[in-house]
Amino acid sequence: MLVNQSLFDLNRVSQNRNSQSDSSPRDVTPGEKNLAQNGIATQSTTSGAKSADRAIDGGKDFSTSSSTCAATSWDHNPWWRLDLQSAHLLNTVVVTYRDDSFPGTSRLIQVLFGNSQQIYGDPICTVISSDQAAFTITYSCGTLEGRYVTIRTWWDSLSVCEVEVYETDYKKRSFMKLAFNSSADLTDPTVTDQVLKEYDINECSLQLTSALSVRGITNVTLSWSQTPEEELIENGE
Protein backbone atom coordinates (compact mmCIF):
# COMPACT_ATOMS: atom_id res chain seq x y z
CA MET A 1 0.00 0.00 0.00
CA LEU A 2 1.28 3.47 -0.86
CA VAL A 3 0.91 6.31 1.62
CA ASN A 4 1.57 9.96 0.79
CA GLN A 5 3.97 11.58 3.19
CA SER A 6 4.14 15.34 2.67
CA LEU A 7 7.09 17.33 3.91
CA PHE A 8 6.50 21.03 4.29
CA ASP A 9 8.04 24.15 5.73
CA LEU A 10 5.75 26.07 8.00
CA ASN A 11 6.28 29.78 8.40
CA ARG A 12 5.35 30.97 11.85
CA VAL A 13 4.96 34.73 12.25
CA SER A 14 5.10 35.60 15.92
CA GLN A 15 3.97 39.07 16.84
CA ASN A 16 4.67 41.05 19.97
CA ARG A 17 1.87 43.55 20.52
CA ASN A 18 1.31 45.80 17.45
CA SER A 19 3.84 44.38 15.02
CA GLN A 20 6.05 46.49 12.80
CA SER A 21 8.54 45.28 10.22
CA ASP A 22 11.40 47.24 11.73
CA SER A 23 12.67 48.24 15.16
CA SER A 24 13.53 51.89 14.60
CA PRO A 25 12.89 54.24 17.54
CA ARG A 26 9.28 55.36 17.80
CA ASP A 27 7.21 57.53 20.11
CA VAL A 28 6.09 55.88 23.32
CA THR A 29 2.34 55.33 23.40
CA PRO A 30 0.57 56.62 26.55
CA GLY A 31 -0.21 53.68 28.83
CA GLU A 32 2.41 51.47 27.19
CA LYS A 33 3.99 48.99 29.60
CA ASN A 34 7.21 50.16 31.21
CA LEU A 35 9.38 47.03 31.53
CA ALA A 36 11.61 48.67 34.14
CA GLN A 37 8.97 48.40 36.85
CA ASN A 38 9.23 44.60 36.80
CA GLY A 39 13.02 44.59 36.90
CA ILE A 40 15.58 44.43 39.68
CA ALA A 41 17.83 47.48 40.17
CA THR A 42 21.30 47.56 41.69
CA GLN A 43 24.04 50.19 41.87
CA SER A 44 27.74 50.37 42.68
CA THR A 45 27.22 52.06 46.06
CA THR A 46 24.31 53.74 47.85
CA SER A 47 24.17 57.22 49.29
CA GLY A 48 22.10 57.13 52.48
CA ALA A 49 18.60 55.79 51.79
CA LYS A 50 18.74 56.53 48.05
CA SER A 51 18.62 52.90 46.99
CA ALA A 52 18.75 51.71 43.37
CA ASP A 53 15.07 50.70 43.26
CA ARG A 54 13.99 54.31 43.71
CA ALA A 55 14.83 54.85 40.03
CA ILE A 56 12.04 52.45 39.01
CA ASP A 57 9.34 53.52 41.51
CA GLY A 58 7.43 55.67 39.02
CA GLY A 59 8.41 58.98 40.64
CA LYS A 60 9.91 61.68 38.41
CA ASP A 61 10.75 64.37 40.95
CA PHE A 62 14.19 65.45 39.76
CA SER A 63 14.93 68.03 42.47
CA THR A 64 18.07 67.70 44.57
CA SER A 65 15.91 66.99 47.65
CA SER A 66 13.82 64.34 45.87
CA SER A 67 13.02 61.16 47.80
CA THR A 68 12.37 59.20 44.59
CA CYS A 69 15.88 59.33 43.14
CA ALA A 70 18.58 56.68 43.39
CA ALA A 71 22.09 57.93 44.13
CA THR A 72 25.50 56.40 44.62
CA SER A 73 28.05 57.52 47.16
CA TRP A 74 31.21 59.25 45.97
CA ASP A 75 32.79 56.51 43.95
CA HIS A 76 35.19 55.79 41.11
CA ASN A 77 33.18 55.20 37.89
CA PRO A 78 29.81 54.67 39.63
CA TRP A 79 27.03 52.75 37.89
CA TRP A 80 23.33 51.88 38.13
CA ARG A 81 22.00 48.67 36.54
CA LEU A 82 18.60 47.16 35.77
CA ASP A 83 18.03 43.43 35.30
CA LEU A 84 14.88 42.97 33.19
CA GLN A 85 14.75 39.28 34.28
CA SER A 86 14.58 38.08 30.67
CA ALA A 87 15.80 39.17 27.23
CA HIS A 88 13.89 41.87 25.33
CA LEU A 89 14.30 43.80 22.10
CA LEU A 90 14.19 47.40 23.28
CA ASN A 91 12.85 50.43 21.47
CA THR A 92 13.87 53.18 23.87
CA VAL A 93 15.27 53.82 27.33
CA VAL A 94 14.10 57.08 28.95
CA VAL A 95 16.18 58.35 31.88
CA THR A 96 15.29 61.24 34.18
CA TYR A 97 18.36 62.58 35.98
CA ARG A 98 18.52 64.67 39.14
CA ASP A 99 18.73 68.38 38.34
CA ASP A 100 22.28 68.75 39.64
CA SER A 101 23.42 65.78 37.48
CA PHE A 102 21.79 66.78 34.21
CA PRO A 103 24.28 69.29 32.75
CA GLY A 104 26.63 67.41 30.45
CA THR A 105 24.94 64.04 30.89
CA SER A 106 24.94 63.28 27.17
CA ARG A 107 28.71 63.65 27.23
CA LEU A 108 29.65 62.23 30.64
CA ILE A 109 26.99 59.54 31.17
CA GLN A 110 26.46 56.43 29.05
CA VAL A 111 23.56 53.99 28.83
CA LEU A 112 24.50 50.44 27.83
CA PHE A 113 22.25 47.52 26.90
CA GLY A 114 22.83 43.83 26.26
CA ASN A 115 23.28 40.40 27.83
CA SER A 116 26.73 40.75 29.36
CA GLN A 117 26.98 40.11 33.09
CA GLN A 118 30.00 42.41 33.10
CA ILE A 119 29.01 45.94 34.14
CA TYR A 120 30.74 47.62 31.20
CA GLY A 121 30.47 44.76 28.71
CA ASP A 122 27.43 45.84 26.66
CA PRO A 123 27.04 48.12 23.60
CA ILE A 124 26.36 51.82 24.14
CA CYS A 125 22.88 53.21 23.38
CA THR A 126 22.53 56.40 21.33
CA VAL A 127 21.02 59.67 22.54
CA ILE A 128 18.05 60.48 20.28
CA SER A 129 16.41 63.35 22.21
CA SER A 130 16.89 65.51 25.28
CA ASP A 131 14.23 67.41 27.26
CA GLN A 132 16.08 69.91 29.40
CA ALA A 133 12.89 71.14 31.08
CA ALA A 134 12.14 67.60 32.37
CA PHE A 135 15.82 66.67 32.90
CA THR A 136 15.16 63.66 30.68
CA ILE A 137 17.20 61.99 27.94
CA THR A 138 15.82 59.34 25.56
CA TYR A 139 18.16 56.68 24.21
CA SER A 140 17.86 54.19 21.36
CA CYS A 141 19.51 50.80 21.90
CA GLY A 142 19.34 49.70 18.27
CA THR A 143 18.10 46.27 17.30
CA LEU A 144 19.93 44.22 19.93
CA GLU A 145 18.17 41.83 22.25
CA GLY A 146 19.29 41.94 25.85
CA ARG A 147 18.51 41.70 29.53
CA TYR A 148 20.58 44.39 31.27
CA VAL A 149 20.37 48.20 31.14
CA THR A 150 23.39 49.92 32.67
CA ILE A 151 23.97 53.61 33.34
CA ARG A 152 27.57 54.63 34.00
CA THR A 153 29.45 57.89 34.47
CA TRP A 154 32.96 59.23 34.92
CA TRP A 155 31.77 61.61 37.63
CA ASP A 156 32.35 60.82 41.29
CA SER A 157 28.65 60.04 41.88
CA LEU A 158 25.52 59.14 39.93
CA SER A 159 21.95 60.31 40.62
CA VAL A 160 19.10 58.77 38.62
CA CYS A 161 15.50 59.69 39.39
CA GLU A 162 13.59 57.43 36.99
CA VAL A 163 14.36 54.87 34.30
CA GLU A 164 11.71 53.76 31.79
CA VAL A 165 12.26 50.88 29.38
CA TYR A 166 9.99 50.24 26.39
CA GLU A 167 10.08 47.21 24.13
CA THR A 168 10.19 47.27 20.36
CA ASP A 169 7.11 46.18 18.42
CA TYR A 170 8.45 43.61 16.01
CA LYS A 171 7.62 40.80 13.66
CA LYS A 172 9.67 37.65 13.89
CA ARG A 173 9.62 34.87 11.32
CA SER A 174 10.54 31.30 12.18
CA PHE A 175 10.47 28.18 10.02
CA MET A 176 9.62 24.59 10.88
CA LYS A 177 9.76 21.47 8.78
CA LEU A 178 7.08 18.88 9.53
CA ALA A 179 6.13 15.51 8.06
CA PHE A 180 2.66 13.97 8.12
CA ASN A 181 0.66 11.27 6.36
CA SER A 182 -1.99 12.39 3.89
CA SER A 183 -3.74 10.93 0.89
CA ALA A 184 -4.86 14.39 -0.27
CA ASP A 185 -3.41 16.18 -3.27
CA LEU A 186 -1.22 18.78 -1.54
CA THR A 187 -0.30 20.44 -4.82
CA ASP A 188 -3.82 21.91 -4.84
CA PRO A 189 -3.76 25.30 -3.00
CA THR A 190 -7.33 24.85 -1.72
CA VAL A 191 -6.36 21.52 -0.17
CA THR A 192 -3.19 22.86 1.47
CA ASP A 193 -5.12 25.80 2.94
CA GLN A 194 -7.62 23.38 4.45
CA VAL A 195 -4.83 21.21 5.87
CA LEU A 196 -3.30 24.28 7.51
CA LYS A 197 -6.65 25.25 9.04
CA GLU A 198 -7.05 21.76 10.47
CA TYR A 199 -3.52 21.85 11.87
CA ASP A 200 -4.22 25.25 13.39
CA ILE A 201 -6.96 23.85 15.62
CA ASN A 202 -5.59 20.44 16.50
CA GLU A 203 -3.62 19.33 19.53
CA CYS A 204 -0.19 19.86 17.91
CA SER A 205 -0.93 23.52 17.27
CA LEU A 206 -2.17 23.98 20.83
CA GLN A 207 1.06 22.50 22.14
CA LEU A 208 3.07 24.83 19.88
CA THR A 209 1.26 28.01 20.94
CA SER A 210 1.44 26.95 24.61
CA ALA A 211 5.22 26.50 24.37
CA LEU A 212 5.60 29.89 22.69
CA SER A 213 3.40 31.68 25.23
CA VAL A 214 5.69 30.51 28.05
CA ARG A 215 8.42 32.50 26.26
CA GLY A 216 6.21 35.57 26.01
CA ILE A 217 5.29 35.06 22.33
CA THR A 218 1.58 35.37 21.65
CA ASN A 219 -0.75 36.05 18.73
CA VAL A 220 0.80 33.38 16.51
CA THR A 221 -0.18 32.96 12.87
CA LEU A 222 0.69 29.86 10.81
CA SER A 223 1.27 30.02 7.05
CA TRP A 224 2.99 28.06 4.27
CA SER A 225 6.40 29.27 3.14
CA GLN A 226 6.47 27.01 0.06
CA THR A 227 4.39 24.43 -1.75
CA PRO A 228 4.49 21.08 0.08
CA GLU A 229 6.52 18.32 -1.54
CA GLU A 230 5.34 14.72 -1.67
CA GLU A 231 7.29 11.57 -0.96
CA LEU A 232 5.80 8.14 -1.60
CA ILE A 233 6.58 5.66 1.12
CA GLU A 234 5.87 2.00 0.58
CA ASN A 235 4.09 0.25 3.41
CA GLY A 236 5.75 -3.01 4.38
CA GLU A 237 2.44 -4.88 4.59
Side-chain angles (χ1 to χ4, degrees):
M1 186 173 89
L2 294 179
V3 178
N4 268 338
Q5 183 183 59
S6 298
L7 300 178
F8 67 97
D9 288 323
L10 191 64
N11 174 34
R12 173 189 47 92
V13 180
S14 60
Q15 299 176 324
N16 190 326
R17 297 195 308 274
N18 302 317
S19 294
Q20 295 177 336
S21 59
D22 61 65
S23 54
S24 56
R26 55 175 173 76
D27 293 335
V28 174
T29 303
E32 188 172 356
K33 183 180 179 180
N34 174 12
L35 298 178
Q37 294 181 342
N38 293 324
I40 298 176
T42 55
Q43 57 190 13
S44 54
T45 58
T46 300
S47 175
K50 299 172 183 177
S51 57
D53 58 354
R54 289 192 176 188
I56 54 173
D57 62 3
K60 292 187 177 181
D61 180 1
F62 48 74
S63 64
T64 305
S65 59
S66 173
S67 61
T68 67
C69 295
T72 68
S73 302
W74 290 94
D75 193 6
H76 178 64
N77 294 336
W79 52 265
W80 180 95
R81 171 169 259 210
L82 177 67
D83 181 353
L84 296 172
Q85 301 294 291
S86 61
H88 295 270
L89 188 65
L90 299 193
N91 174 56
T92 53
V93 176
V94 183
V95 184
T96 300
Y97 296 96
R98 204 170 68 184
D99 57 2
D100 60 344
S101 298
F102 190 77
T105 51
S106 61
R107 180 171 54 87
L108 297 174
I109 294 181
Q110 290 180 339
V111 171
L112 300 86
F113 173 67
N115 283 307
S116 176
Q117 295 186 9
Q118 301 297 319
I119 297 300
Y120 304 136
D122 289 319
I124 300 172
C125 300
T126 303
V127 175
I128 57 175
S129 67
S130 176
D131 185 346
Q132 297 189 21
F135 293 91
T136 296
I137 293 180
T138 300
Y139 302 84
S140 169
C141 298
T143 59
L144 296 177
E145 188 176 59
R147 173 172 173 170
Y148 303 101
V149 176
T150 304
I151 303 174
R152 60 175 294 191
T153 184
W154 291 268
W155 287 345
D156 293 326
S157 65
L158 177 63
S159 300
V160 180
C161 294
E162 191 65 18
V163 176
E164 302 164 71
V165 178
Y166 298 100
E167 193 169 19
T168 294
D169 290 341
Y170 70 100
K171 182 182 291 184
K172 185 175 182 180
R173 300 168 63 90
S174 297
F175 297 88
M176 297 185 303
K177 194 169 189 177
L178 303 181
F180 63 95
N181 292 328
S182 173
S183 59
D185 179 10
L186 295 180
T187 61
D188 183 345
T190 59
V191 174
T192 55
D193 288 347
Q194 184 60 36
V195 168
L196 194 61
K197 289 179 182 178
E198 292 175 357
Y199 178 85
D200 201 24
I201 61 175
N202 70 16
E203 184 178 352
C204 293
S205 180
L206 292 176
Q207 292 175 351
L208 171 64
T209 53
S210 176
L212 293 173
S213 65
V214 170
R215 294 164 175 77
I217 301 173
T218 58
N219 193 17
V220 176
T221 301
L222 303 176
S223 62
W224 298 98
S225 64
Q226 66 182 47
T227 302
E229 298 178 358
E230 290 187 340
E231 287 186 4
L232 296 180
I233 298 179
E234 186 174 351
N235 194 314
E237 296 181 0

